[in-house]
Structures are given as C-alpha cells and as structure tokens.
Amino acid sequence: MFGQKLIELRKQKKLTQADMAKILGVARTTYSSYEQGRRTPDVELQNKIADFFGVTLDYLHGREAKDESELSSNQMTVAAHIDDDVSDEEMKEILSFIDYIKNRDHGK
C-alpha cells in the first residue's frame, strides 16, 4: 500500500523517481525500492515524504482519507467546535462516532 501511494502521489506532481530521490536525499535505486515495496523508509523519511505531499502518515499507509477536504462539511463544522486540546486520535474517534450515529439512524 505504501509503495502504491508513493507512485500515485509522485505521478500527481509529475515527478520522476530521480526527482523524488533528490528531494529526499536518497539514491534513485533506494527510492525505487520504496515504491516497489522492497524497502520501507525510516520514520524520519516517512515524515518528510508526508510533509512534502501534504498528507498524513496514515494516508501513506492506506489508513485514511488523503486530507480533511474529504471530510463532510457537517464533520468539519462539528470539529471546529471541539476544544483545541483534543488529540488527533481523539478527533478521529469523534468523527468516527459521528459517522456511526449518522449511519445507524439512516438504517431505520
């Protein structure tokens, strides 16, 4: 999944593997091995990749939507009214619970 996301994101930006290798400071063959799933970059490099593409690590690993723009407007409205002290994980749980309630009520 990680490799596929790298390919998708790189192609969206119209970059070559050599371009990405230079940006990340690794050999082209090393970067290629990330896309092929033969190697996984360390956490620091994964963070650099996520920051470069403006996505989360969860997205890179196939665990969530690309960014908050894929959240519903109702979810964003609710999220805007929640205390800033809520962690990212707690926010995910809150939004997940909202989805659960919405889907449960529509099933009646």
Side-chain angles (χ1 to χ4, degrees), residues 9-91:
L9 291 166
R10 176 178 58 80
K11 288 183 176 184
Q12 285 175 4
K13 288 204 176 254
K14 298 179 177 23
L15 297 170
T16 65
Q17 287 184 345
D19 295 331
M20 286 303 303
K22 185 174 182 179
I23 290 164
L24 298 174
V26 298
R28 191 207 54 79
T29 54
T30 301
Y31 179 80
S32 176
S33 69
Y34 298 155
E35 286 191 357
Q36 294 171 9
R38 292 192 328 244
R39 293 180 65 181
T40 303
D42 63 25
V43 174
E44 183 179 326
L45 199 53
Q46 288 183 44
N47 283 324
K48 189 172 183 178
I49 292 167
D51 290 344
F52 177 78
F53 288 116
V55 298
T56 64
L57 289 175
D58 278 344
Y59 176 77
L60 282 176
H61 291 279
R63 295 178 48 138
E64 70 173 30
K66 184 173 179 178
D67 58 31
E68 289 183 356
S69 67
E70 294 183 29
L71 297 174
S72 73
S73 61
N74 286 340
Q75 287 174 322
M76 292 305 292
T77 301
V78 170
H81 294 285
I82 296 174
D83 190 330
D84 289 339
D85 290 336
V86 173
S87 71
D88 289 343
E89 190 60 36
E90 290 167 330
M91 181 61 75

Side-chain angles (χ1 to χ4, degrees), residues 71 75 79 90-100:
L71 297 174
Q75 287 174 322
E90 290 167 330
M91 181 61 75
K92 287 178 192 174
E93 288 181 53
I94 291 165
L95 295 175
S96 177
F97 187 70
I98 291 168
D99 282 339
Y100 165 77

